[in-house]
């Protein structure tokens, strides 16, 4: 059967002061009345029922996830004792699935992306489940600008086409490049953004872990043997204490050859921070992007998100302002990528009330 694993472990420090330890990015309502996590689950339920959807997230967030998503079975919400990047997360979920469905195929999806239209995305997932073999299927995204903040997939010739969906073979993975190199990738035309989504056949994943990530394989076997893939918190913590902190790309993907890559004309954003999110907000005639009802006079190119208080900007350009009930962020737009420095300083000062 087909399964889905939703990774909801991202802290989203670039969304401070909205994002906090007890309300990280996947739990924020950034695009409407529901959280990004709820949106992700809703997006895939036309193809995969809640009984075969797993969530992997920080253990202390499991209760909130159950509250938001009551249709997801309790045993499908897997709490990690400590975040160790995407490879251990994937191993944990795959071990749980193996204990229940050894012949499974599973999709691994981040909980904090915007993907439209839903119908095309579901068709992409369906196609990926159909073509996956001993090699995984990754989702490539057509680049819209030279982005140094994304990983890239270098692809060869098109191997097949199904409607709006094209399938390629990946020839090489590229980590986040310099701006100059990102521009070069765009000129070449055969480079796609790495969408961070992939589909595996379970038996092939097990083999890939054993071959390419042998330090993770004992964890896979141990977690598979636990009740329901890992109901004992103490034993899970013992397993996690021994595994390396490493991404699935570094651990496995980049070591494989001829991996499938699926491409479709999807509207996609990883919503990496306030700048990216503001693309989906209304803009006034002075290119200010706003949420709320700020007062803007002689202001241009600003990003403003308010809560209950009035925000007034006079004669300023290219600023980011985010107001919450207990914290206010003001910085030049050019510094938005460095908001995590505020979080690190708050950690250093042990100002836990604001973390």
């Amino acid at each position: 059967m087909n399964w889905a694993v939703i990774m909801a472990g991202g802290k989203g420090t670039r969304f401070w002061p909205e994002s906090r330890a007890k309300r990280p990015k996947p739990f924020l309502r950034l695009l409407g009345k529901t959280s990004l996590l709820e949106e992700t689950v809703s997006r895939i339920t036309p193809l995969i029922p809640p009984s075969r959807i797993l969530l992997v997230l920080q253990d202390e967030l499991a209760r909130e996830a159950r509250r938001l998503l009551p249709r997801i079975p309790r045993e499908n919400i897997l709490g990690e004792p400590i975040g160790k990047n995407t490879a251990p997360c994937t191993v944990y979920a795959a071990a749980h699935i193996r204990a229940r469905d050894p012949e499974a195929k599973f999709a691994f999806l981040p909980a904090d992306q915007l993907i439209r239209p839903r119908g095309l995305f579901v068709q992409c997932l369906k196609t990926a489940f159909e073509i996956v073999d001993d090699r995984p299927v990754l989702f490539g995204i057509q680049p819209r600008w030279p982005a140094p903040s994304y990983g890239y997939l270098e692809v060869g010739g098109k191997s097949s086409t199904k409607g709006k969906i094209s399938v390629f073979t990946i020839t090489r993975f590229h980590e986040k490049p310099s701006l100059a190199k990102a521009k070069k990738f765009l000129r070449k035309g055969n480079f796609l953004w790495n969408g961070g989504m992939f589909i595996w056949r379970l038996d092939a994943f097990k083999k890939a872990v054993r071959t390419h990530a042998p330090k993770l394989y004992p964890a896979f076997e141990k977690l598979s043997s636990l009740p329901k893939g890992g109901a004992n918190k103490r034993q899970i913590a013992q397993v996690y204490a021994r595994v390396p902190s490493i991404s699935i790309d570094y651990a496995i993907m980049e070591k494989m050859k001829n991996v499938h890559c699926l491409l479709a004309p999807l509207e996609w954003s990883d919503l990496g921070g306030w700048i990216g999110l503001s693309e989906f907000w209304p803009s006034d005639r002075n290119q200010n992007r706003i949420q709320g009802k700020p007062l803007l006079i002689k202001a241009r190119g600003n990003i403003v998100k308010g809560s209950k208080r009035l925000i007034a900007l006079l004669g300023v350009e290219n600023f980011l302002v985010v107001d919450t009930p207990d914290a206010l962020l003001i910085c030049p737009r050019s510094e938005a990528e460095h908001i995590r420095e505020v979080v690190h300083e708050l950690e250093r000062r042990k100002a836990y009330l604001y973390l």
Side-chain angles (χ1 to χ4, degrees), residues 218-234:
F220 182 80
E221 290 294 335
K222 178 65 175 177
L223 291 168
S224 297
S225 67
L226 295 179
K228 294 181 180 178
N232 188 306
K233 289 186 178 182
R234 182 179 60 83

PDB file of all heavy atoms in Angstrom, residues 218-234:
ATOM      1  N   PRO A 218      21.551  -0.177  11.879  1.00  0.00           N
ATOM      2  CA  PRO A 218      21.126  -0.785  13.157  1.00  0.00           C
ATOM      3  C   PRO A 218      19.910  -0.091  13.752  1.00  0.00           C
ATOM      4  O   PRO A 218      19.060  -0.753  14.370  1.00  0.00           O
ATOM      5  CB  PRO A 218      22.368  -0.616  14.044  1.00  0.00           C
ATOM      6  CG  PRO A 218      23.519  -0.529  13.089  1.00  0.00           C
ATOM      7  CD  PRO A 218      22.978   0.202  11.903  1.00  0.00           C
ATOM      8  N   ALA A 219      19.805   1.220  13.578  1.00  0.00           N
ATOM      9  CA  ALA A 219      18.632   1.939  14.078  1.00  0.00           C
ATOM     10  C   ALA A 219      17.378   1.486  13.360  1.00  0.00           C
ATOM     11  O   ALA A 219      16.311   1.326  13.972  1.00  0.00           O
ATOM     12  CB  ALA A 219      18.837   3.448  13.908  1.00  0.00           C
ATOM     13  N   PHE A 220      17.483   1.289  12.038  1.00  0.00           N
ATOM     14  CA  PHE A 220      16.339   0.823  11.256  1.00  0.00           C
ATOM     15  C   PHE A 220      15.848  -0.521  11.778  1.00  0.00           C
ATOM     16  O   PHE A 220      14.646  -0.733  11.997  1.00  0.00           O
ATOM     17  CB  PHE A 220      16.738   0.717   9.779  1.00  0.00           C
ATOM     18  CG  PHE A 220      15.619   0.294   8.869  1.00  0.00           C
ATOM     19  CD1 PHE A 220      14.660   1.203   8.446  1.00  0.00           C
ATOM     20  CD2 PHE A 220      15.518  -1.024   8.445  1.00  0.00           C
ATOM     21  CE1 PHE A 220      13.619   0.813   7.609  1.00  0.00           C
ATOM     22  CE2 PHE A 220      14.488  -1.432   7.612  1.00  0.00           C
ATOM     23  CZ  PHE A 220      13.539  -0.500   7.190  1.00  0.00           C
ATOM     24  N   GLU A 221      16.771  -1.454  11.996  1.00  0.00           N
ATOM     25  CA  GLU A 221      16.397  -2.783  12.477  1.00  0.00           C
ATOM     26  C   GLU A 221      15.822  -2.718  13.888  1.00  0.00           C
ATOM     27  O   GLU A 221      14.815  -3.373  14.195  1.00  0.00           O
ATOM     28  CB  GLU A 221      17.614  -3.709  12.440  1.00  0.00           C
ATOM     29  CG  GLU A 221      18.062  -4.085  11.034  1.00  0.00           C
ATOM     30  CD  GLU A 221      17.021  -4.945  10.317  1.00  0.00           C
ATOM     31  OE1 GLU A 221      16.220  -5.637  10.997  1.00  0.00           O
ATOM     32  OE2 GLU A 221      16.989  -4.939   9.082  1.00  0.00           O
ATOM     33  N   LYS A 222      16.446  -1.932  14.759  1.00  0.00           N
ATOM     34  CA  LYS A 222      15.978  -1.848  16.145  1.00  0.00           C
ATOM     35  C   LYS A 222      14.593  -1.223  16.223  1.00  0.00           C
ATOM     36  O   LYS A 222      13.698  -1.743  16.911  1.00  0.00           O
ATOM     37  CB  LYS A 222      16.977  -1.026  16.969  1.00  0.00           C
ATOM     38  CG  LYS A 222      16.577  -0.836  18.429  1.00  0.00           C
ATOM     39  CD  LYS A 222      16.544  -2.141  19.185  1.00  0.00           C
ATOM     40  CE  LYS A 222      16.251  -1.925  20.663  1.00  0.00           C
ATOM     41  NZ  LYS A 222      16.138  -3.210  21.402  1.00  0.00           N
ATOM     42  N   LEU A 223      14.383  -0.124  15.503  1.00  0.00           N
ATOM     43  CA  LEU A 223      13.092   0.552  15.538  1.00  0.00           C
ATOM     44  C   LEU A 223      11.994  -0.302  14.918  1.00  0.00           C
ATOM     45  O   LEU A 223      10.832  -0.247  15.332  1.00  0.00           O
ATOM     46  CB  LEU A 223      13.182   1.903  14.826  1.00  0.00           C
ATOM     47  CG  LEU A 223      14.031   2.969  15.530  1.00  0.00           C
ATOM     48  CD1 LEU A 223      14.278   4.153  14.607  1.00  0.00           C
ATOM     49  CD2 LEU A 223      13.364   3.427  16.820  1.00  0.00           C
ATOM     50  N   SER A 224      12.353  -1.102  13.902  1.00  0.00           N
ATOM     51  CA  SER A 224      11.363  -1.994  13.272  1.00  0.00           C
ATOM     52  C   SER A 224      10.866  -3.054  14.238  1.00  0.00           C
ATOM     53  O   SER A 224       9.730  -3.527  14.132  1.00  0.00           O
ATOM     54  CB  SER A 224      11.966  -2.680  12.041  1.00  0.00           C
ATOM     55  OG  SER A 224      12.314  -1.754  11.055  1.00  0.00           O
ATOM     56  N   SER A 225      11.710  -3.428  15.192  1.00  0.00           N
ATOM     57  CA  SER A 225      11.360  -4.517  16.107  1.00  0.00           C
ATOM     58  C   SER A 225      10.558  -4.038  17.312  1.00  0.00           C
ATOM     59  O   SER A 225       9.991  -4.852  18.040  1.00  0.00           O
ATOM     60  CB  SER A 225      12.636  -5.217  16.599  1.00  0.00           C
ATOM     61  OG  SER A 225      13.402  -4.348  17.433  1.00  0.00           O
ATOM     62  N   LEU A 226      10.503  -2.712  17.517  1.00  0.00           N
ATOM     63  CA  LEU A 226       9.735  -2.197  18.645  1.00  0.00           C
ATOM     64  C   LEU A 226       8.244  -2.280  18.360  1.00  0.00           C
ATOM     65  O   LEU A 226       7.826  -2.286  17.203  1.00  0.00           O
ATOM     66  CB  LEU A 226      10.125  -0.742  18.922  1.00  0.00           C
ATOM     67  CG  LEU A 226      11.564  -0.497  19.380  1.00  0.00           C
ATOM     68  CD1 LEU A 226      11.789   0.995  19.595  1.00  0.00           C
ATOM     69  CD2 LEU A 226      11.884  -1.266  20.646  1.00  0.00           C
ATOM     70  N   PRO A 227       7.422  -2.327  19.390  1.00  0.00           N
ATOM     71  CA  PRO A 227       5.963  -2.369  19.162  1.00  0.00           C
ATOM     72  C   PRO A 227       5.508  -1.190  18.308  1.00  0.00           C
ATOM     73  O   PRO A 227       5.827  -0.033  18.611  1.00  0.00           O
ATOM     74  CB  PRO A 227       5.398  -2.284  20.587  1.00  0.00           C
ATOM     75  CG  PRO A 227       6.489  -2.796  21.462  1.00  0.00           C
ATOM     76  CD  PRO A 227       7.772  -2.370  20.812  1.00  0.00           C
ATOM     77  N   LYS A 228       4.777  -1.484  17.228  1.00  0.00           N
ATOM     78  CA  LYS A 228       4.261  -0.470  16.310  1.00  0.00           C
ATOM     79  C   LYS A 228       5.366   0.449  15.812  1.00  0.00           C
ATOM     80  O   LYS A 228       5.155   1.632  15.574  1.00  0.00           O
ATOM     81  CB  LYS A 228       3.140   0.337  16.972  1.00  0.00           C
ATOM     82  CG  LYS A 228       1.896  -0.497  17.279  1.00  0.00           C
ATOM     83  CD  LYS A 228       0.814   0.347  17.902  1.00  0.00           C
ATOM     84  CE  LYS A 228      -0.429  -0.512  18.205  1.00  0.00           C
ATOM     85  NZ  LYS A 228      -1.497   0.268  18.871  1.00  0.00           N
ATOM     86  N   GLY A 229       6.567  -0.101  15.648  1.00  0.00           N
ATOM     87  CA  GLY A 229       7.660   0.672  15.093  1.00  0.00           C
ATOM     88  C   GLY A 229       8.299   1.607  16.093  1.00  0.00           C
ATOM     89  O   GLY A 229       9.245   2.297  15.769  1.00  0.00           O
ATOM     90  N   GLY A 230       7.868   1.633  17.362  1.00  0.00           N
ATOM     91  CA  GLY A 230       8.540   2.483  18.331  1.00  0.00           C
ATOM     92  C   GLY A 230       7.616   3.118  19.337  1.00  0.00           C
ATOM     93  O   GLY A 230       7.386   4.315  19.309  1.00  0.00           O
ATOM     94  N   ALA A 231       7.024   2.304  20.241  1.00  0.00           N
ATOM     95  CA  ALA A 231       6.116   2.865  21.232  1.00  0.00           C
ATOM     96  C   ALA A 231       6.819   3.159  22.552  1.00  0.00           C
ATOM     97  O   ALA A 231       6.248   3.784  23.423  1.00  0.00           O
ATOM     98  CB  ALA A 231       4.954   1.890  21.472  1.00  0.00           C
ATOM     99  N   ASN A 232       8.051   2.697  22.709  1.00  0.00           N
ATOM    100  CA  ASN A 232       8.774   2.846  23.954  1.00  0.00           C
ATOM    101  C   ASN A 232       9.710   4.042  23.860  1.00  0.00           C
ATOM    102  O   ASN A 232      10.719   4.017  23.150  1.00  0.00           O
ATOM    103  CB  ASN A 232       9.562   1.563  24.259  1.00  0.00           C
ATOM    104  CG  ASN A 232      10.191   1.591  25.637  1.00  0.00           C
ATOM    105  OD1 ASN A 232      10.921   2.520  25.975  1.00  0.00           O
ATOM    106  ND2 ASN A 232       9.917   0.573  26.427  1.00  0.00           N
ATOM    107  N   LYS A 233       9.401   5.126  24.569  1.00  0.00           N
ATOM    108  CA  LYS A 233      10.171   6.360  24.463  1.00  0.00           C
ATOM    109  C   LYS A 233      11.618   6.167  24.908  1.00  0.00           C
ATOM    110  O   LYS A 233      12.535   6.733  24.317  1.00  0.00           O
ATOM    111  CB  LYS A 233       9.510   7.465  25.281  1.00  0.00           C
ATOM    112  CG  LYS A 233       8.213   7.981  24.688  1.00  0.00           C
ATOM    113  CD  LYS A 233       7.688   9.172  25.473  1.00  0.00           C
ATOM    114  CE  LYS A 233       6.412   9.724  24.858  1.00  0.00           C
ATOM    115  NZ  LYS A 233       5.922  10.917  25.589  1.00  0.00           N
ATOM    116  N   ARG A 234      11.821   5.384  25.961  1.00  0.00           N
ATOM    117  CA  ARG A 234      13.181   5.182  26.457  1.00  0.00           C
ATOM    118  C   ARG A 234      14.039   4.465  25.423  1.00  0.00           C
ATOM    119  O   ARG A 234      15.190   4.857  25.169  1.00  0.00           O
ATOM    120  CB  ARG A 234      13.152   4.385  27.767  1.00  0.00           C
ATOM    121  CG  ARG A 234      14.542   4.169  28.383  1.00  0.00           C
ATOM    122  CD  ARG A 234      14.428   3.394  29.696  1.00  0.00           C
ATOM    123  NE  ARG A 234      13.814   2.088  29.482  1.00  0.00           N
ATOM    124  CZ  ARG A 234      14.493   1.012  29.064  1.00  0.00           C
ATOM    125  NH1 ARG A 234      15.777   1.100  28.779  1.00  0.00           N
ATOM    126  NH2 ARG A 234      13.875  -0.144  28.900  1.00  0.00           N
TER     127      ARG A 234
END
